[in-house]
Amino acid sequence: DGEGKAECCLWTPAQYSLPDQKMIIHLWSYLYKHVFRFWVKWILRQLTGKCELQRICDGSKKSSERTLRIEHSLESSKSKVLQSAVHSPEDEVKKYVALIMKEKKIDIHKDTGFALKLQMCLLQITGYKKLYSDVEDLRKCPYNSNNKEHEKELIELWNLLMPHEKLKARITKQWCDIGFQGDDPKTDFRGMGMLGLVNLLYFSKHYTHEARQILVHSNHPKLGYSYAIVGINLTEMAYSLLKNGALKTHFYNLVPSVAQMDHFHRFYCYLACEFDKFWFEEEPESIMYFNQYREKFHEIIKRRLRDHDVVLAL
């Protein structure tokens, strides 16, 4: 009987409802962040003689894992200097490295490699934030048919994809041949603005053979899809992955310092090629199931990005 009573006293998660479990997790997270984390860090500093940032640099290999852990440590710090470091402009990164070392009382002569490691991490962190800002600005820029540069890029897209067929007019049903919905593509760019066009054009310029091949695939009698519309949809996917931070693993592994717009465009090209391959492997019954398969593809990409060693590139 005593043994049975002891078993009844044991706590199991199943004894609590889902809201209760969430509340317990939230409470534990709060206590760790505001109480226990400080003492854990203090004890480890006394044992190792190094601050958390030093321990991360020593214990993590050069990959996204190190930069992600440094980023989390800086953002979780109570120090305004450390918090501000993740938002520093590129030309002030060195200054913030010096400020952090002063704040944490790190002797550059005792830990000779720390400053360079931290500087590289900060360049990646601040570069990612700047890249998102640049991508967002381009997304917010609407396509304007009165803008000669916008019009030039649109016509260039046609010429790259359809080199043997001349566009008969600016407003024409021919645009449907490369996957736009109507006779004027400008209406299809409303969601992603100029970002949608720039991505399509970049793919056609830098991976011309692949872009034309995928355009041919998109005209398949049974498994075909709207090339340009799907392309703009993939722009939205790339943008959302950048915005929610899922692309950090990819960029922190791929770019040793500051990520540029070119790196974002190349990731879009990777998505375009991978989606075409995925679509034909899945063989959907109809284009009507596009959203379902799009979400399945999205989950595959998110799963790949959870790998700290991942690089998704052509």
Side-chain angles (χ1 to χ4, degrees), residues 58-271:
D58 287 347
S60 303
K61 63 180 180 178
K62 187 182 176 182
S63 71
S64 67
E65 183 182 4
R66 176 192 290 171
T67 306
L68 287 166
R69 290 181 65 194
I70 289 287
E71 186 173 12
H72 175 73
S73 180
L74 293 171
E75 290 177 342
S76 303
S77 175
K78 292 181 180 179
S79 164
K80 295 296 181 185
V81 171
L82 271 67
Q83 289 177 13
S84 301
V86 298
H87 301 288
S88 60
E90 184 182 346
D91 59 358
E92 290 189 11
V93 164
K94 279 189 177 180
K95 182 187 85 172
Y96 270 94
V97 169
L99 287 171
I100 290 170
M101 293 184 73
K102 183 180 178 182
E103 177 93 1
K104 305 305 281 184
K105 298 180 175 61
I106 298 169
D107 187 341
I108 194 169
H109 301 295
K110 288 183 179 179
D111 195 343
T112 54
F114 174 75
L116 183 58
K117 290 175 183 176
L118 181 61
Q119 183 180 327
M120 296 306 291
C121 289
L122 271 180
L123 284 171
Q124 290 183 311
I125 293 164
T126 57
Y128 188 94
K129 293 180 187 297
K130 176 67 166 57
L131 175 61
Y132 170 68
S133 176
D134 292 344
V135 168
E136 179 71 352
D137 287 344
L138 193 55
R139 186 190 71 85
K140 286 180 177 177
C141 177
Y143 182 90
N144 182 357
S145 53
N146 294 318
N147 185 311
K148 290 182 180 179
E149 193 59 36
H150 292 188
E151 288 286 288
K152 180 184 172 183
E153 290 182 6
L154 182 60
I155 300 302
E156 188 178 3
L157 175 66
W158 172 271
N159 291 335
L160 283 165
L161 290 174
M162 304 288 280
H164 304 300
E165 185 176 336
K166 187 175 175 61
L167 201 61
K168 295 172 183 175
R170 165 58 182 81
I171 296 178
T172 170
K173 287 292 183 184
Q174 282 178 284
W175 290 113
C176 296
D177 294 343
I178 60 171
F180 287 104
Q181 292 184 111
D183 56 10
D184 190 350
K186 73 174 185 180
T187 58
D188 294 325
F189 294 122
R190 281 176 296 194
M192 285 289 109
M194 280 300 293
L195 183 63
L197 175 56
V198 171
N199 273 169
L200 285 167
L201 184 56
Y202 186 96
F203 185 42
S204 300
K205 266 185 179 179
H206 296 271
Y207 298 92
T208 309
H209 172 74
E210 289 85 352
R212 290 176 182 170
Q213 193 173 49
I214 290 174
L215 178 61
V216 171
H217 292 174
S218 73
N219 289 316
H220 189 280
K222 183 184 177 185
L223 299 173
Y225 55 83
S226 299
Y227 175 88
I229 295 301
V230 169
I232 294 169
N233 205 289
L234 292 174
T235 290
E236 192 282 328
M237 185 182 294
Y239 165 77
S240 68
L241 290 167
L242 180 73
K243 184 178 180 180
N244 67 25
L247 273 180
K248 287 179 180 179
T249 48
H250 166 71
F251 283 129
Y252 290 171
N253 286 325
L254 178 71
V255 190
S257 56
V258 180
Q260 305 291 338
M261 185 69 83
D262 187 77
H263 296 115
F264 178 79
H265 294 326
R266 288 185 183 276
F267 175 70
Y268 166 82
C269 297
Y270 168 83
L271 286 184

